[in-house]
Amino acid sequence: MLNNYMGILNLNENETNIISLTKDRPLASIPIAARYRIIDFALSNMVNSGLKNIGVFTQSKARSLVDHLGSGKPWDLDRRLNGLFVFNFGIANTSLNDAEMLRNNMEYLYRSKEENVILSSSYMLGNIDYAAAVTYHEEKHQDITIIYKNINIGIKNFINMMY
């Protein structure tokens, strides 16, 4: 079903609120439970949904991330056709938005045989069934479908989080 879809993890993320954790690494490579990284959730969601071609667009400080991702073997993305592709631009340009990141990588999109893209950030912690989202998307005949979760934490809890 997802044979005509590719995944892109865009790491063009605002890290200013957690600069003490992201000083030397991107948000995606922050460790969780010593063995995993934040990006593992997003990658696992894509692979478990059936995506076989996943690109990771990163900007800077990506050595720990590239070391962690390696060839993509833990996600069965170390393959001759498709697989895991990491694009590291080496500069931090927070003014680039998602559209510019995609435009700067049009060659990757053109060379891919898939016609549709699932675009995500790395910090989406949780289980997302992209196959179900694609089914909904195609049933509605939409050009774009956005997946989000509205979180209402309440003002009292928000104030407690701030202090």
Side-chain angles (χ1 to χ4, degrees):
M1 172 178 196
L2 295 182
N3 292 336
N4 201 21
Y5 285 81
M6 65 186 297
I8 293 179
L9 291 174
N10 187 1
L11 308 188
N12 185 23
E13 300 159 347
N14 184 352
E15 301 170 347
T16 56
N17 291 334
I18 56 171
I19 196 72
S20 60
L21 294 174
T22 59
K23 179 180 159 204
D24 297 319
R25 65 177 68 221
L27 174 67
S29 70
I30 293 175
I32 294 181
R35 180 178 177 191
Y36 303 103
R37 308 292 173 131
I38 288 178
I39 197 170
D40 293 347
F41 291 90
L43 272 174
S44 294
N45 285 333
M46 288 185 168
V47 170
N48 292 337
S49 296
L51 295 175
K52 294 176 177 27
N53 181 9
I54 300 174
V56 178
F57 296 172
T58 183
Q59 289 188 30
S60 67
K61 307 173 289 182
R63 181 173 181 206
S64 64
L65 180 67
V66 171
D67 288 346
H68 176 70
L69 296 174
S71 65
K73 187 173 184 176
W75 302 275
D76 192 31
L77 291 172
D78 59 334
R79 46 185 73 226
R80 185 172 275 203
L81 296 174
N82 292 324
L84 181 67
F85 300 91
V86 180
F87 300 89
N88 183 1
F89 304 106
I91 58 168
N93 184 355
T94 56
S95 66
L96 286 178
N97 60 34
D98 292 345
E100 289 172 306
M101 292 288 282
L102 289 170
R103 186 177 64 237
N104 290 342
N105 292 288
M106 289 307 291
E107 182 179 354
Y108 171 62
L109 297 170
Y110 287 136
R111 288 179 175 234
S112 300
K113 64 179 182 178
E114 296 84 7
E115 295 180 13
N116 301 295
V117 175
I118 294 175
L119 177 66
S120 179
S121 298
S122 69
Y123 56 83
M124 303 302 290
L125 302 181
N127 292 324
I128 300 174
D129 183 1
Y130 288 115
V134 165
T135 299
Y136 174 84
H137 173 77
E138 290 181 353
E139 285 175 356
K140 299 294 182 182
H141 304 288
Q142 298 296 316
D143 292 331
I144 297 173
T145 299
I146 298 174
I147 300 172
Y148 70 95
K149 181 174 182 176
N150 189 10
I151 300 174
N152 185 1
I153 61 171
I155 190 68
K156 185 177 180 180
N157 290 335
F158 178 75
I159 291 171
N160 289 335
M161 287 173 43
M162 297 297 289
Y163 298 103

